[in-house]
Amino acid sequence: MPESIHDIPPSDRHRFLESMANGPAFALFCDKWDADLAAIEAKIFDTATTDAETHDLKRTREYLIKNHHPRKIVETMIRAAHSEKSQPAKKA
């Protein structure tokens, strides 16, 4: 059993990540992530939210949407595995 995801050969890692990205559990996880983002959006536009809270919520939303969304992370890992798979094997 590999100790790290990086111990898995790139071709297998690419296949595993593709399978995970298309799986129902990951879709449910992303749906929950998006629901939490929707709750943050609702608080941002709530008139009872103070300006300081709104500012913090907007920063949090930006952080969660841009590069830290699980789908974006997995897509980046898939691209990295694909590029490793395409490169010739390194000799030790």
Side-chain angles (χ1 to χ4, degrees):
M1 185 86 176
E3 292 183 23
S4 167
I5 191 170
H6 301 290
D7 295 339
I8 301 171
S11 59
D12 291 341
R13 189 168 61 237
H14 182 265
R15 193 178 67 232
F16 292 151
L17 289 166
E18 284 281 339
S19 177
M20 183 185 84
N22 295 321
F26 189 67
L28 289 172
F29 177 72
C30 289
D31 287 348
K32 173 67 172 124
W33 186 278
D34 293 336
D36 291 343
L37 285 174
I40 290 172
E41 288 275 334
K43 284 186 101 176
I44 288 172
F45 294 108
D46 186 3
T47 56
T49 306
T50 66
D51 289 341
E53 290 173 328
T54 301
H55 179 71
D56 289 342
L57 289 169
K58 285 181 178 180
R59 282 194 330 200
T60 301
R61 176 186 61 185
E62 180 181 358
Y63 179 81
L64 294 175
I65 289 175
K66 287 199 175 189
N67 297 328
H68 295 86
H69 193 284
R71 190 166 305 284
K72 298 231 185 231
I73 293 170
V74 170
E75 288 170 356
T76 301
M77 291 172 72
I78 289 171
R79 282 193 305 274
H82 180 72
S83 68
E84 284 180 44
K85 183 175 73 170
S86 303
Q87 295 175 356
K90 295 180 183 178
K91 294 184 180 181

